[in-house]
Amino acid sequence: LGTSDLLVSQVCLGGMTWGSQNDENDASQQLSTAWDFGVNFVDTAEAYPVPLSAETQGRTDRAIAKWMKATKQPRDKVIISTKVCGYSERYTWLRKDGQGTRLTKEQILESVDSSLKRLETDYVDLLVLHWPDRRVELTNPLSGQEETPVAGRSLGVVPFEEQVEALAQLVAEGKIRHWGLSNENSFGVNEFRRAAAEAGLAPPACVQNA
């Protein structure tokens, strides 16, 4: 996978409907079928399933954990990618303090600890920043250039360095093996690579854009 040492199948099974549009039995059948065909890579996120809601949040993770336990899958044979939410003032149920989501060091660490509990594992293979903390317009022709602060964001913008500091700590603690980006532009990728290099952290392994 990208710059990492992870060996993954050409297909990654996405689980964002498990627990809402599909139930746990559907999830188990889909996972087993995928593994029978050689898939070893599954994608989840702390906020899944979609549509996002406080009532269903975390069901995708728990469906994966239940399947792994029921089928006695060796942990090293299941490559798990999960995602931590970027900036949102709407998703107040995801954090203990009841505030919206941000990519602060504190929130990234809290998110991963909660994901590990739901997934019933000691580590995830890939942690992806689901969307940026700052505002990014991927369709804007100027989106690859340096961005100016956006007014009206009550929670502010978290520096790249703080986000990388959290990721480096998680790698050092063995809670994540690699990290990546999602819904990011070229400016952000370059800034994360710079901050990672300064912190002695390996660069992002991949970019997953919609």
Side-chain angles (χ1 to χ4, degrees), residues 5-21:
D5 60 356
L6 294 175
L7 297 178
V8 299
S9 50
Q10 290 183 315
V11 172
C12 177
L13 182 61
M16 70 180 184
T17 63
W18 300 336
S20 177
Q21 300 169 56

Side-chain angles (χ1 to χ4, degrees), residues 111-137:
S111 170
V112 170
D113 283 342
S114 296
S115 291
L116 294 177
K117 289 179 182 177
R118 289 190 300 271
L119 289 163
E120 298 182 32
T121 185
D122 296 328
Y123 68 94
V124 293
D125 300 278
L126 178 68
L127 177 68
V128 174
L129 307 185
H130 207 158
W131 63 88
D133 194 79
R134 68 197 196 289
R135 181 178 176 182
V136 171
E137 297 180 17

